[in-house]
Amino acid sequence: MPGIVLVGAQWGDEGKGKITDLIAPDFSYVVRYQGGNNAGHTVIADGKTLALHLIPSGIMYPSITPVIGNGCVIDPHVLIEEMDMLEREGFSTERLIISAKAHLIMPYHLDLDAASEKSLGKNEIGTTKRGIGPAYMDKAARLGIRVQDLLDPAIFKLKVEAALEEKNRVLDKLYGLPTYTAEAICAEFEPIAKRLIPHIANVTTLLNDALAAQEYVLFEGAQGTLLDIDHGTYPFVTSSSCTAGGATIGSGVGPTAINKVLGIAKAYITRVGSGPFPTELFDEVGETLATVGGEYGTTTGRLRRCGWYDAVIVRYAAEVNGLTDLCITKLDVLSAVDTIKVCVAYEHEGKRYTTVPDTQTAFHHATPIYEELPGWKCDITACRSFEELPQEAQDYIVYIEKLAGVPVSMVAVGPSREQTIVRGWGV
Ligand code: IMP
């Protein structure tokens, strides 16, 4: 069963899009299994830089069927804009498959995301305000509108009316915001339905048949391990299962279909939004990483918080995802610093932690314990084999590999596909 999951091993933005795009030619299907357009994957293909938020990165290859699985929440306006953008750039979206069981982000979800963040004040999560949390809340509350509801206008209207019963009360009474009518929403969704219906399919059957026929399926995670609703830094997380287990729930294949899990981690670490971040840098080194690394969000344009590589987090990611391989991205960014620090453990109230503490309080107040390694201070963006890297850069990779307990199969030294050293990866 050649199913492979690619997951973020940190707080997202690890460069998953580039790696998906790189390895995609080996696969027949690339599947998004959670999240929505809170994700932002930058892909550089044929000299073009494209930002994808919802459509799987493999869309650029005509041999691949891109799939949006049931675990995703879809803002149809964004999806259609993205399809139009790809068509304009010369990439066909005809093959795109959307699960009938995926949920739709409705207009009121956007209002509720913004209103709930505002009401949290200084305790805000720092969400992308794309309506992700409220859409997953409705899914769990069984008030969600699904992609399959687009197939039948009468059912769609009934479900919207049922949802508005509650939503309008919350919008009006709790937040003092304008309400919606089912008629207006139905009118808005009529052209959406026409456009998306040809792409709706039974993804569970499609993928299980493909796997049974020994076709290769890549499950492309969005966000990262520490943003996972269960295993992340709750409540400063997204509302879906970003870890490898989410791939099975969010697509309808069993765990035995997965035979490799590739974790992606930056050579340092970043985070967008609020929440604990033990190795965060507030000095010039942090600024250097942000500037050299171009650390601005693909989705929101927000400046990312930057810090030293945290080996405790990546080891934790190795555990919760069952990583079989690790890919270290943006190694070239570290060429800008003299001495490199790696967090090997934390300390809190006299206790040493070598794994992510279970309680929010301990993680919030964890003090990082660092080991220092010499930098290499030279341009490595043209290196194409591990041996071509300066000795200090090789030592850095071997060091973090040992700390993670997972082989580093790939190392990225620049943003384009070609700037990737493949050390032991194969499907
Ligand atoms: P939401 O997913 O918009 O609800 O945001 C919840 C948290 O996840 C916030 O801290 C966001 O900044 C963060 N987040 C969501 N998507 C991404 C992503 O793709 N990369 C990095 N952070 C993200």
Side-chain angles (χ1 to χ4, degrees):
M1 287 281 204
I4 289 172
V5 184
L6 181 147
V7 281
Q10 296 163 327
W11 273 293
D13 307 315
E14 299 92 349
K16 295 179 293 295
K18 171 190 146 139
I19 303 303
T20 303
D21 186 57
L22 176 81
I23 64 174
D26 290 330
F27 296 86
S28 303
Y29 296 85
V30 178
V31 186
R32 275 282 307 267
Y33 59 84
Q34 44 75 225
N37 60 308
N38 47 348
H41 287 173
T42 308
V43 179
I44 301 181
D46 302 334
K48 288 175 184 160
T49 302
L50 302 172
L52 297 176
H53 298 285
L54 252 176
I55 297 183
S57 307
I59 186 85
M60 279 79 171
Y61 298 96
S63 58
I64 292 171
T65 303
V67 178
I68 300 179
N70 59 276
C72 293
V73 286
I74 299 171
D75 182 328
H77 293 291
V78 175
L79 178 59
I80 291 169
E81 265 170 42
E82 207 158 282
M83 290 164 76
D84 288 345
M85 179 275 288
L86 284 162
E87 294 286 345
R88 274 196 309 276
E89 295 292 340
F91 300 101
S92 167
T93 56
E94 218 176 294
R95 306 166 331 273
L96 177 69
I97 303 279
I98 307 167
S99 167
K101 291 188 279 194
H103 281 246
L104 292 170
I105 296 180
M106 302 300 285
Y108 44 82
H109 290 141
L110 299 170
D111 300 339
L112 292 169
D113 199 353
S116 122
E117 279 286 88
K118 198 167 160 207
S119 76
L120 282 171
K122 68 175 178 41
N123 294 325
E124 66 160 20
I125 312 287
T127 73
T128 58
K129 300 204 174 68
R130 301 296 192 262
I132 306 295
Y136 279 113
M137 281 165 71
D138 276 0
K139 174 178 176 175
R142 290 157 294 185
L143 272 180
I145 313 291
R146 295 193 292 171
V147 166
Q148 62 189 273
D149 299 327
L150 295 172
L151 296 168
D152 185 330
I155 289 184
F156 183 82
K157 184 156 186 268
L158 279 178
K159 296 212 170 171
V160 170
E161 280 167 352
L164 286 180
E165 278 273 317
E166 189 209 290
K167 300 297 135 192
N168 277 343
R169 252 182 290 142
V170 176
L171 285 166
D172 179 35
K173 300 275 181 303
L174 193 59
Y175 296 121
L177 289 171
T179 55
Y180 288 85
T181 65
E183 288 69 29
I185 291 184
C186 290
E188 178 185 335
F189 274 70
E190 210 183 288
I192 290 172
K194 275 208 185 81
R195 179 79 188 267
L196 297 185
I197 282 171
H199 297 275
I200 303 176
N202 182 336
V203 167
T204 306
T205 303
L206 179 85
L207 294 180
N208 280 289
D209 286 354
L211 288 160
Q214 299 302 314
E215 288 192 81
Y216 281 66
V217 180
L218 177 62
F219 299 90
E220 178 190 23
Q223 289 84 47
T225 301
L226 288 196
L227 288 173
D228 182 277
I229 183 83
D230 285 282
H231 303 290
T233 45
Y234 192 91
F236 301 100
V237 292
T238 190
S239 301
S240 64
S241 299
C242 321
T243 41
T248 69
I249 296 164
S251 69
V253 307
T256 45
I258 310 296
N259 58 1
K260 271 194 178 199
V261 184
L262 171 63
I264 316 292
K266 269 182 201 167
Y268 48 102
I269 191 166
T270 61
R271 161 160 219 176
V272 211
S274 323
F277 184 174
T279 64
E280 182 166 14
L281 288 163
F282 299 97
D283 59 7
E284 283 146 45
V285 180
E287 277 173 34
T288 304
L289 294 177
T291 313
V292 180
E295 295 297 351
Y296 294 90
T298 319
T299 300
T300 56
R302 287 182 287 180
L303 181 65
R304 296 177 184 141
R305 300 156 66 191
C306 295
W308 292 118
Y309 182 88
D310 187 331
V312 182
I313 283 177
V314 177
R315 194 165 43 234
Y316 173 72
E319 285 173 0
V320 297
N321 294 296
L323 297 186
T324 58
D325 295 79
L326 196 56
C327 167
I328 300 296
T329 58
K330 291 194 153 186
L331 186 66
D332 53 303
V333 175
L334 289 185
S335 300
V337 296
D338 296 319
T339 301
I340 300 169
K341 290 188 186 178
V342 172
C343 169
V344 294
Y346 309 128
E347 200 183 80
H348 174 60
E349 292 184 338
K351 191 172 162 196
R352 189 182 163 100
Y353 291 86
T354 51
T355 187
V356 172
D358 220 22
T359 65
Q360 200 189 334
T361 309
F363 195 58
H364 256 286
H365 300 289
T367 308
I369 300 170
Y370 289 114
E371 291 288 334
E372 287 191 7
L373 281 89
W376 45 91
K377 292 295 278 182
C378 63
D379 184 6
I380 58 168
T381 55
C383 294
R384 294 292 176 270
S385 72
F386 193 67
E387 292 66 35
E388 279 175 62
L389 288 170
Q391 191 57 50
E392 293 84 354
Q394 292 188 30
D395 291 348
Y396 182 66
I397 294 295
V398 170
Y399 183 63
I400 60 182
E401 176 174 71
K402 206 167 127 222
L403 291 172
V406 178
V408 174
S409 306
M410 275 185 258
V411 179
V413 293
S416 74
R417 272 182 203 157
E418 300 70 40
Q419 290 174 303
T420 314
I421 296 170
V422 179
R423 220 178 142 218
W425 172 255
V427 293

